[in-house]
Amino acid sequence: MSSPALVPALPRALPDARLRQWRRSAGRPLRALLFPLALLLVWFWAAQAKLLPEQILPSPVYVWQASLDAIQSGDLLMHIGWSAWRVAAGFGIGASLGLSLGLAMGLWPRLDDYVRPTFTAISQVPTLGWIPLLMLFLGIGETLKIVIIAKAAFIPVVLNTCSAIRSIPSSYFEVARMLRFTALQRLRLVILPAAVAPVFTGIRYGLTKAWTALVAVELLAAAQGLGFLLVWSRQMFWLDMMLFAMIVIGLVGFLMDYGLARVESRLQRWRLDPQAGA
């Protein structure tokens, strides 16, 4: 015979579990801020103690003032706009081509046998190593930047997409054949749902590579953009502006990766919960 005291305790179990889950989710951003805040305090202390001259390590106060000046003048938004346009164009081209080639290599092993050796050799050359050659054909205009960014995103997307297709269990394709799925149905109902996680890993990694390639190519051949702001501040010896540009580059890259992570989580939830896609 069950104890009467257990009966009223059951309805409270679910709210308590939800409360604990909410506390964990709410505490995660706070924990993520602890390390940056600690670095900021160490930076402020080192500047106040004058461990290095101000010309080498400016105080966070000076960096904050430089950020306000850049925002009020509109220069920051202009540089972010140029960088965002370049990375969007280059990453869009590179990721689209990478998904297509990776899908084809994963589905047709014969094609992979022909393409893989050459592709592997090309991928071993660093992205910046292509700049001198491409400058001869493309100059130093926007086309060069977009091609370099596209190449940086192309490699990881191809590799992860091909690996994702190859890792799909063969039983999935056998079921698709039994159900007489068309090629489009196999792609939409079998391949994409099963490969969404590793494919998005490649897309996120490709975006990271594209962003770093963007900053590097803007350091070498640009008159606008965050990379140009970084090198221009160094040349003018405005280290407060240079540090601010580095912070902005890191924040923008983090926000782009976070946005893709949210899209991936929604797709994963749709894949695991059939009713979510209904």
Side-chain angles (χ1 to χ4, degrees), residues 1-2 15 17 23 64 121-122 127 135-136 144 156 166 215 228 234-235 247 253 263-264:
M1 182 174 179
S2 61
R23 286 175 177 174
W64 174 253
I122 292 175
T127 301
M135 278 183 175
L136 298 176
L144 171 69
R166 292 289 183 86
V215 175
F228 168 77
R234 182 191 61 81
Q235 291 172 350
I247 293 172
V263 173
E264 179 184 3

Side-chain angles (χ1 to χ4, degrees), residues 107-261:
L107 291 176
W108 295 294
R110 183 67 60 87
L111 176 64
D112 184 70
D113 293 338
Y114 285 115
V115 174
R116 174 78 65 169
T118 304
F119 177 81
T120 302
I122 292 175
S123 65
Q124 299 305 311
V125 181
T127 301
L128 296 183
W130 291 91
I131 291 181
L133 176 64
L134 292 176
M135 278 183 175
L136 298 176
F137 298 98
L138 304 177
I140 60 172
E142 294 301 315
T143 304
L144 171 69
K145 302 175 185 60
I146 293 175
V147 169
I148 290 296
I149 296 166
K151 188 267 177 186
F154 177 74
I155 301 295
V157 173
V158 170
L159 293 175
N160 281 269
T161 302
C162 180
S163 176
I165 302 302
R166 292 289 183 86
S167 64
I168 297 176
S170 59
S171 59
Y172 288 14
F173 295 101
E174 293 176 1
V175 172
R177 283 193 294 268
M178 292 175 58
L179 297 176
R180 297 183 179 179
F181 282 177
T182 63
L184 183 59
Q185 286 176 325
R186 285 198 303 270
L187 178 64
R188 184 172 61 89
L189 300 177
V190 178
I191 296 173
L192 292 182
V196 63
V199 166
F200 252 89
T201 299
I203 290 175
R204 291 176 62 184
Y205 188 52
L207 180 60
T208 300
K209 286 290 189 179
W211 184 245
T212 55
L214 163 79
V215 175
V217 76
E218 285 182 345
L219 288 171
L220 299 174
Q224 310 91 6
L226 292 173
F228 168 77
L229 179 62
L230 190 65
V231 70
W232 176 71
S233 302
R234 182 191 61 81
Q235 291 172 350
M236 300 300 294
F237 218 69
W238 294 343
L239 295 189
D240 50 354
M241 181 61 71
M242 186 185 74
L243 290 174
F244 173 63
M246 293 174 62
I247 293 172
V248 172
I249 289 170
L251 285 176
V252 173
F254 169 79
L255 291 175
M256 290 191 301
D257 182 75
Y258 178 78
L260 278 182

Side-chain angles (χ1 to χ4, degrees), residues 257-272:
D257 182 75
Y258 178 78
L260 278 182
R262 296 293 297 176
V263 173
E264 179 184 3
S265 65
R266 291 183 67 87
L267 289 176
Q268 285 284 80
R269 185 163 59 247
W270 170 83
R271 183 170 70 94
L272 296 176

